[in-house]
């Protein structure tokens, strides 16, 4: 019962954030696409946590941990990637 | 189904709702900054609630700590990144104007 | 658990959608973002399949490092003059032909997958049987470091070779110098702050993933990737500079893992009677495996970080 | 479990097809590299299906899982080298695509 | 003493030693790397000969790495085919290493340079990868070895940093990656169907079925892309022509043979029953197309290295004729494995000859600063030994006696005629004539009397390296019995009985 | 022991000098000359030893297995000796001539290296005991001749070289296909046992015969496969001698001989109905070559077309299938070699000393170079078939053989050919002996000093003498004719 419900919620969370793909596609600015990815990242972390609980697979929490860490990493790369030559800092130029 | 289970379900359901809200905001709000606003609020709260809900099922204190660490990390990343993205969006806007 | 199928029903279409977006969209940035999302979804899929080791690797490497690599390259190749766009969209014939080819191959593979025999022949039993002798709890680590250690050794060399290949693209005057361009960040800005905050956390997480690898999902590759990622973050935050490629310490770090692996392998010739073998005496195998893993973690972290950092372009200061 | 694994195997098959399409259609080198990674992960999913069908605890057969990890690392290595080559090509020639056809008739080069 | 030879870990060392050398070369740095590399390379022929002795004495050499027997572990296996390829590889790499000193050894008083350092570990890794392929008995391990090979070979193409080389390297890499990923997919399906990727076990367990059939098709397609069989050859000529000569020598002589070797293992050892007549005929047909197209294109080239590269494309075509011709003979004929043996001998003699040709091309570039065929007048006088070596190597390509190419072609032709499939003989003979056309087209200006230009002098000892390789390829034609007998050791039954 | 050693030694006497000479630096001409002459002399000596042995019934055999089904086999039989004696003898003389001819020209190490290699190949062809061995040396000959043809390295030489290769390699491919086709049905073919082919499909046999003779016909310059030969005239004179008399053309004719006599056997050739077509082709070539020769005003080209014509006597003799005709064909192998090499030696000397390349430039040559012209005249008369010259002997036996075989039309061919021969040789002799020199400036040098280098004079004189002797002493057992009769007697079991 409980695992089923948790898995159901995992599906729900995933479904709602997956809709964010539309924003990735549509943009219009790079910032929009990044935000959508960010949302998907967080939602993905939530999905993994729920799955870990549903499948009773505590090791999967580590995956969420790594995803959380790398979400920050990827986001920095996004921001960097939007600057010329990929080396800038939006704050610096602001 | 125990009380903890009910707590878990309630918290998780609330979390899922925030994710849904965040997505709707991301898709429906008119410009970058409002979307950003919707996003940061939604996903941090959403993830937080889900972590909260799962805490009772965690594997000991260490497992619980890990769960919290996941949330904190995500929060940290989201906060800083939101800031950077906002700056970027403003610059892009400037450039576009 | 029927609700899991609900998840499958969301996850699989999402993965395919993200893949289509990554391939089909005009905007290159959108394509790379889609690809990163795709990697994330794949990591979830691996969790769903119960393969947590793979999920860790996919999360760290597939979504993380590959995405960063592509993003960085995109930024440098930029939105400047672009004959790919100038040439216009691919021709209709090409698209149709490619679609037909893709569909045919996919259909063939699908048919083959569906035709796989039941019950599935497998080696889980053999692995489980041989694992206790090594003192390991994680069968995947057992396969990677012992049963198929030879593959892993070659793989570590592959990684190093990729780095040598990237280095070989350096302009001659810059040889021995620093990889990539110099990153900038406002000293008191958010970026620098994040760059200072995350690495300690990341190092802890990385070491944790390395340490649990012997008994639970995790291990050298995943840990090395995490360590590499935080280091790259520090570089992007302009907190540290990548080392000059002529640095002896760097080179030693790069070769330490595979060299250690080889050395243990040679020792196995004497101690276990087989190259890459571990002594049968109880309690010997696990420390040796951990030793090799530690070396590999160091080398993989260094190699991956420099892979992302790129070709040496600046003379050493 | 078995049928789920097969489902992901089918997804892998589809991904290979999508990746092949991208490899053929996209001219930009980075897009080709990206498409190659799609094919790669599709193949890994097929491996995953093979492993998962094995049933058992923790994702079934560990041998294909280990192979996938190896494959992921190898794919990353190759991607990194390809990206570096693409960047070098861009820096040298300003091109982001491969020359249309190799010099078949070969005038002096 | 004899027992000692039979027991040594030669197979393991053949893989481990190059890798160890590569790992050591990096921290040693550019002033020492080439010395270390040459030292390690020099051990190659010795190790290969020791392994040959081991094979000769004790039959097929099998090594369970780590002491874990297949299917759990990975095995190395050395039969006659492996050993012959290992020997060829060791010899060609030794020669190439010596020849490469001209371009990649540091000059006195010079610090570490990029190419001066990196060439050597890349070369060692390439050698290790080739050995791993030739010894591999596990299809997934072969995938890793192939990737190792690719990642060592691609940087060698563009190590001189010319823009066209970078483009060629990138194209090469993309083709190679596509090839290996298709191969890997096939491996996945095979594992799914049979629960092992060990070649010996697979051969015993193989059940025909859609999964197996699809796996075979995918792996074959992937390996064909890596072997540059027509029409998947597009990457080869630019890559092999743009690489520095020493690298081209290795690429053309050996690297493309590695994927072909796996193809042989796949078709003859793993799934002979599945290769219906149609598949074998298709491969033979593509091989024929490669022979004709490659030779005609080679005839049209203006530049020496491109011409040699297109000749590689053509020569690779011959290898594929062994699929329809394998077996084939009546039982009364002693050469029933003739086509298979002929194909392998062709691979070996082509390796030696082609390496010699590319090394000569390197000397030409060194002496003239260009390799435009028309402008090579007087070359014969400037470096007669090198031109002679080129001519000798050309013999092997033309399949004329006395050369290894002749014996190989004789075996293939005999198999074709003896099995009544005379139509395969026509492209073989035509290919030989076309090869004569392009070889002599290259020799013509070299022998013409016009002084052409001022040639930078090239020492005789540099010219002696390609000559040695060319002489070996000729010697293979004069004494082919030893390799012939060697190839009989551990040969798969399908090589004798034919496919399908 | 010696039995296997001798063929190897004979081969080595030209192979080793070749390798040594390749390595010699250009200025070491003394050493090169010494090696050359020593090799040639040693070969001749060894051949004499074998001659004695074979006459006494000994056989020499050397077998080198390559792979199963592919053995290299050297076997010395009477026919082999006929050819090897000729080539060994002529090689010695050609070497002397070539050393004098090339003087101090460039690239001599290369030239003499390939020159020796060429002779090694010819020796191999002569001694081959099996079809595939024959093919191996036949190819070696092609390849080692090419650098000699293009030796001068000018555009003309290179073009001739291309044409030479195009023809000969095409021929080789046909030959190889024929050999392999035959062997795929019969197993390895050696030149000893007859009857191996009996019972094989006639179509297959005909196809193989056509391919093999067609392939060999290229080198033997059968029309229409002859065009490379006149083109190759751009090569230095010693090379022409080699092409026309010692090695290349002879190798083709010798190959046809082997195929007819020792592979198929004359009986089978007739049975398959292959003799007549071959005879017709040969006859056509004889007449066509002579006609073309008549039309040439360049001396060497005239000689070249004369070769096209004369060599086909050999094929003609064998095609007629009777023992008498076969003797005629075989003996012509030797006679034509002696006569034609004399002609080319002389032509080369005339070109070197008098710069006479064209027919009309020969005016008065007899007065200025009497010895050379004497030799030339003897050879030319022999070619025409004036009794008792060597050419007459050949033609006599051919004619008799034709009658014996019931092919009287061949007599007409022979007669026509002789008339044509006379028509293109006699004017040369007339100009040389009876017309005054064109440029009036009379040579002030005394007799015999005008002839030029003795190395250019002595060889033609010797070969002319030999040609004369071959005709005069044809009845002796060790004469070429005697030897040819021995061969045919053994082959026909008479």
């Amino acid at each position: 019962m409980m695992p089923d419900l948790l898995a159901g919620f995992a599906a729900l969370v995933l479904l709602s954030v997956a809709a964010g793909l539309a924003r990735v596609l549509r943009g219009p600015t790079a910032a929009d696409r990044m935000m959508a990815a960010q949302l998907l990242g967080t939602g993905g972390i939530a999905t993994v946590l729920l799955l870990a609980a549903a499948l009773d697979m505590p090791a999967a929490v580590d995956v969420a941990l790594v995803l959380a860490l790398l979400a920050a990493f990827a986001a920095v790369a996004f921001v960097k990637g939007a600057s010329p030559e990929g080396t800038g800092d939006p704050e610096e130029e602001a | 189904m125990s009380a903890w289970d009910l707590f878990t379900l309630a918290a998780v359901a609330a979390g899922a709702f925030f994710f849904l809200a965040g997505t709707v905001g991301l898709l429906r709000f008119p410009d970058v900054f409002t979307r950003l606003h919707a996003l940061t609020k939604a996903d941090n709260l959403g993830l937080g609630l889900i972590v909260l809900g799962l805490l009772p099922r965690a594997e000991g204190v260490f497992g619980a700590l890990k769960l919290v660490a996941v949330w904190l990390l995500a929060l940290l990343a989201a906060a800083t990144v939101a800031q950077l993205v906002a700056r970027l969006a403003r610059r892009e806007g400037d450039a576009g104007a | 658990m029927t609700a899991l199928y609900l998840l499958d029903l969301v996850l699989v279409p999402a993965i395919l959608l993200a893949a289509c977006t990554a391939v089909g969209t005009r905007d290159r940035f959108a394509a790379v973002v889609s690809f990163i999302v795709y990697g994330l979804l794949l990591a979830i899929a691996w969790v769903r399949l119960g393969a947590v080791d793979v999920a860790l690797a996919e999360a760290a490497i597939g979504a993380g490092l590959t995405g960063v690599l592509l993003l960085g390259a995109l930024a440098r190749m930029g939105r400047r003059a672009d004959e790919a766009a100038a040439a216009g969209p691919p021709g209709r014939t090409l698209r149709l032909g490619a679609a037909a080819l893709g569909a045919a191959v996919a259909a063939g593979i699908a048919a083959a997958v569906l035709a796989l025999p039941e019950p599935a022949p497998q080696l889980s039993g053999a692995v489980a049987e041989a694992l206790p002798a090594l003192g390991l709890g994680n069968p995947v680590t057992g396969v990677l470091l012992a049963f198929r250690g030879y593959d892993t050794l070659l793989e570590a060399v592959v990684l190093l070779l990729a780095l040598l290949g990237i280095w070989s693209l350096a302009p001659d005057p810059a040889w021995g110098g620093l990889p990539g361009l110099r990153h900038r960040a406002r000293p008191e800005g958010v970026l620098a702050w994040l760059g200072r905050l995350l690495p300690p956390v990341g190092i802890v997480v990385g070491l944790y993933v390395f340490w649990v690898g012997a008994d639970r999902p995790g291990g050298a590759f995943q840990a090395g990737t995490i360590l590499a990622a935080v280091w790259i973050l520090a570089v992007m935050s302009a907190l540290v500079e990548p080392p000059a490629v002529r640095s002896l310490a760097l080179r030693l770090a790069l070769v330490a893992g595979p060299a250690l692996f080889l050395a243990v392998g040679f020792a196995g010739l004497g101690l276990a009677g087989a190259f890459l073998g571990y002594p049968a005496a109880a309690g010997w195998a696990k420390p040796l495996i951990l030793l090799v893993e530690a070396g590999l973690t160091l080398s993989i972290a260094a190699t991956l970080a420099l892979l992302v950092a790129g070709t040496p372009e600046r003379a050493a200061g | 479990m078995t049928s789920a694994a097969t489902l992901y195997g089918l997804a892998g098959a589809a991904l290979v097809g999508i990746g092949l399409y991208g490899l053929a259609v996209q001219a930009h080198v980075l897009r080709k590299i990206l498409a190659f990674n799609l094919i790669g992960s599709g193949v890994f999913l097929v491996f995953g299906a093979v492993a998962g069908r094995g049933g058992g605890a923790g994702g079934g057969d560990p041998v294909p899982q280990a192979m996938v990890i190896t494959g992921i690392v190898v794919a990353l290595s190759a991607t990194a080298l390809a990206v570096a080559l693409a960047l070098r090509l861009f820096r040298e020639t300003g091109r982001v695509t491969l020359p249309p056809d190799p010099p078949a008739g070969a005038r002096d080069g | 003493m004899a027992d000692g030879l039979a027991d040594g870990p030669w197979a393991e060392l053949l893989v481990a030693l190059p890798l160890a050398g590569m790992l050591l070369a990096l921290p040693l740095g550019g002033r020492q790397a080439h010395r270390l590399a040459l030292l390690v390379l020099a051990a190659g022929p010795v190790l290969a000969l020791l392994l040959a002795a081991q094979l000769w004495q004790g039959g097929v050499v099998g090594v369970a790495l780590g002491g874990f027997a297949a299917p759990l572990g990975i095995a190395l296996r050395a039969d006659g085919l492996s050993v012959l390829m290992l020997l060829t590889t060791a010899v060609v790499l030794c020669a190439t290493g010596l020849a490469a000193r001209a371009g990649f050894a540091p000059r006195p008083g010079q610090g570490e340079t990029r190419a001066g350092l990196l060439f050597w570990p890349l070369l060692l890794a390439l050698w290790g990868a080739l050995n791993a392929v030739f010894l591999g008995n596990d299809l997934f391990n072969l995938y890793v070895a192939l990737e190792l090979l690719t990642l060592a070979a691609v940087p060698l193409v563009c190590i001189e940093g010319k823009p066209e080389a970078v483009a060629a390297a990138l194209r090469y890499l993309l083709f190679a990656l596509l090839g290996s990923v298709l191969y890997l997919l096939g491996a996945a399906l095979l594992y799914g169907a049979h629960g092992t990727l060990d070649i010996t076990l697979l051969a015993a367990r193989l059940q025909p079925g859609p999964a197996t059939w699809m796996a075979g098709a995918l792996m074959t397609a992937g390996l064909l892309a890596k072997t540059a069989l027509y029409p998947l050859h597009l990457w080869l000529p630019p890559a092999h022509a743009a690489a520095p000569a020493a690298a081209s020598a290795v690429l053309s002589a050996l690297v493309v043979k590695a994927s072909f070797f796996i193809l042989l293992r796949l078709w003859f050892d793993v799934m002979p029953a599945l290769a219906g007549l149609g598949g074998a005929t298709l491969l033979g047909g593509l091989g024929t197309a490669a022979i004709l197209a490659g030779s005609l294109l080679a005839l049209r080239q203006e530049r020496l290295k491109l011409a040699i590269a297109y000749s590689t494309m053509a020569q690779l075509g011959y290898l594929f004729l062994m699929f329809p011709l394998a077996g084939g003979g009546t039982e009364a004929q002693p050469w029933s494995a003739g086509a298979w043996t002929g194909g392998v001998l062709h691979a070996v003699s082509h390796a030696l000859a082609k390496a010699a040709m590319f090394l000569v091309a390197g000397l030409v570039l060194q002496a003239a600063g260009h390799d435009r065929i028309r402008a090579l007048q007087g070359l014969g006088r400037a470096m007669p030994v090198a031109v002679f070596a080129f001519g000798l190597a050309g013999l092997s390509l033309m399949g004329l006696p006395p050369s290894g190419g002749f014996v190989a072609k004789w075996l293939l032709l005999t198999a074709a005629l003896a099995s009544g499939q005379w139509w395969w003989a026509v492209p073989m003979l035509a290919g030989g004539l076309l090869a004569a056309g392009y070889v002599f087209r290259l020799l013509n200006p070299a022998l013409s009397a016009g002084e052409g230009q001022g040639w930078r002098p090239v020492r005789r000892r540099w010219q002696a390296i390609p000559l040695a390789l060319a002489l070996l390829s000729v010697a293979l034609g004069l004494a082919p019995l030893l390799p012939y007998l060697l190839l009989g050791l551990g040969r798969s039954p399908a090589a004798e009985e034919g496919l399908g | 022991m010696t039995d296997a050693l001798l063929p190897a030694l004979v081969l080595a006497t030209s192979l080793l000098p070749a390798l040594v000479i390749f390595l010699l630096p250009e200025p070491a001409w003394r050493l090169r000359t010494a090696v050359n002459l020593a090799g040639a002399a040693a070969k001749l000596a060894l051949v004499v030893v074998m001659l004695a042995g074979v006459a006494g019934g000994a056989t020499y055999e050397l077998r080198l297995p390559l792979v199963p089904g592919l053995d290299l086999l050297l076997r010395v039989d009477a026919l082999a000796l006929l050819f090897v004696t000729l080539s060994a003898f002529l090689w010695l003389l050609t070497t002397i001539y070539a050393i004098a001819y090339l003087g101090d020209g460039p690239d001599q190490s290369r030239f003499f290296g390939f020159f020796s290699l060429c002779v090694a190949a010819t020796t191999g062809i002569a001694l081959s005991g099996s079809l595939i061995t024959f093919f191996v040396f036949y190819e070696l000959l092609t390849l080692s001749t090419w650098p000699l043809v293009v030796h001068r390295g000018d555009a003309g030489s290179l073009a001739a070289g291309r044409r030479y290769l195009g023809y000969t390699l095409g021929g080789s491919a046909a030959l190889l296909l024929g050999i392999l086709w035959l062997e795929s049905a019969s197993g390895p073919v050696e030149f000893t046992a007859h009857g191996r082919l009996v019972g094989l499909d006639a179509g297959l046999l005909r196809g193989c015969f056509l391919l093999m003779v067609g392939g060999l016909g290229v080198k033997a310059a059968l029309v229409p496969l002859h065009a490379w030969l006149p083109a190759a005239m751009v090569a230095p004179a010693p090379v022409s001698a080699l092409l026309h008399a010692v090695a290349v053309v002879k190798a083709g004719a010798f190959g046809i001989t082997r195929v007819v006599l020792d592979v198929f056997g004359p009986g089978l050739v007739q049975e398959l109905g292959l003799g007549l077509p071959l005879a017709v082709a040969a006859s056509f070539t004889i007449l066509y070559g002579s006609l073309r020769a008549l039309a040439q005003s360049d001396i060497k080209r005239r000689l070249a077309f004369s070769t096209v014509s004369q060599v086909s006597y050999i094929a003609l003799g064998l095609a007629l299938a009777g023992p008498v005709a076969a003797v005629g064909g075989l003996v012509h192998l030797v006679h034509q070699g002696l006569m034609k090499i004399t002609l080319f030696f002389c032509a080369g000397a005339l070109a070197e000393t008098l710069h006479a390349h064209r027919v009309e430039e020969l005016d008065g040559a007899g007065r200025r170079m009497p010895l050379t012209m004497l030799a030339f005249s003897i050879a030319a008369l022999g070619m025409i078939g004036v009794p008792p010259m060597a050419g007459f002997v050949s033609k006599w036996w051919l004619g008799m053989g034709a009658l014996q075989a019931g092919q009287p039309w061949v007599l007409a061919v022979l007669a026509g050919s002789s008339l044509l021969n006379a028509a293109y040789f006699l004017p040369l002799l007339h100009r040389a002996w009876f017309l005054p020199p064109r440029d009036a400036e009379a040579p002030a040098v005394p007799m015999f000093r005008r002839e030029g280098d003795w190395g250019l004079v002595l060889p033609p004189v010797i070969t002319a003498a030999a040609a004369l002797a071959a005709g005069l002493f044809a009845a002796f057992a060790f004469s070429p004719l005697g030897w040819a009769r021995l061969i045919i007697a053994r082959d026909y079991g008479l």
Side-chain angles (χ1 to χ4, degrees), chain E residues 381 395 410 440 444 449 478 481, chain F residues 66 69 107 143 153 158 162 165:
Chain E
R381 219 164 278 169
L395 284 191
W410 183 84
F440 282 100
N444 252 336
L478 293 175
L481 196 57
Chain F
L66 291 186
D107 301 324
L143 296 170
L158 291 172
R162 264 198 298 280
L165 274 182

Side-chain angles (χ1 to χ4, degrees), chain A residues 25-61:
Chain A
L25 202 56
R26 229 190 302 156
T29 65
D32 285 301
R33 302 186 211 276
M34 285 182 222
M35 287 189 300
Q38 180 73 26
L39 176 70
L40 272 153
T42 325
I45 294 167
T47 311
V48 170
L49 288 177
L50 288 169
L51 256 181
L55 296 170
D56 196 22
M57 211 161 45
V61 176

Side-chain angles (χ1 to χ4, degrees), chain A residues 67 70 74, chain C residues 35-40 43 57-68:
Chain A
L67 280 177
L70 287 174
Chain C
F35 178 73
I36 291 174
V37 169
Y38 165 82
L40 168 82
E58 177 65 43
I61 298 178
L65 286 194
T66 310
V68 171

Side-chain angles (χ1 to χ4, degrees), chain D residues 3-4 11 18 22-23 30 36 42 45-46 50 53 67 74 92 102:
Chain D
S3 60
I18 294 170
L23 204 55
L30 289 182
F36 156 72
L45 268 189
V46 174
V50 164
R53 282 159 27 86
M67 289 174 180
V74 168
E92 295 278 344

Side-chain angles (χ1 to χ4, degrees), chain C residues 22-204:
Chain C
V23 159
T25 177
R26 275 295 160 71
D27 187 298
R28 284 191 291 282
F29 188 74
V32 176
V33 173
S34 299
F35 178 73
I36 291 174
V37 169
Y38 165 82
L40 168 82
L41 295 172
L42 269 188
I44 301 175
W46 285 110
V47 173
R48 161 70 182 86
L49 285 170
V52 179
D53 291 275
V54 183
L56 280 171
E58 177 65 43
I61 298 178
L65 286 194
T66 310
V68 171
L69 261 174
L70 291 173
L71 275 174
L74 198 62
R76 293 193 61 176
M77 290 165 80
R79 300 152 186 195
R80 288 199 281 156
D82 184 349
E83 71 267 37
R92 195 183 157 79
T93 341
L94 177 64
R95 284 211 311 266
L96 282 179
L101 172 79
V105 172
I109 301 164
V113 168
L114 289 173
L116 287 177
E118 292 289 346
Q122 56 171 322
L123 292 172
S124 339
V127 172
E129 222 169 89
L131 206 54
L134 297 172
L136 297 176
N138 181 1
V140 177
T141 301
V143 174
L144 279 175
L145 268 296
F147 311 134
R148 298 189 70 93
Y150 177 47
D151 277 348
T152 310
L153 173 64
L154 292 188
E155 171 197 4
V157 178
V158 166
L159 206 52
L160 187 56
L161 264 188
L163 184 62
L164 296 191
I166 290 173
W167 284 4
S168 81
L169 295 168
D172 275 312
W175 176 246
L178 309 182
L181 301 176
R182 170 186 286 280
H183 282 270
R184 297 185 310 276
R186 198 167 65 107
E188 301 308 314
V190 178
L191 202 56
W193 181 73
L194 194 65
R196 269 192 291 271
L197 190 66
L198 272 184
V201 182
I203 289 170
V204 171

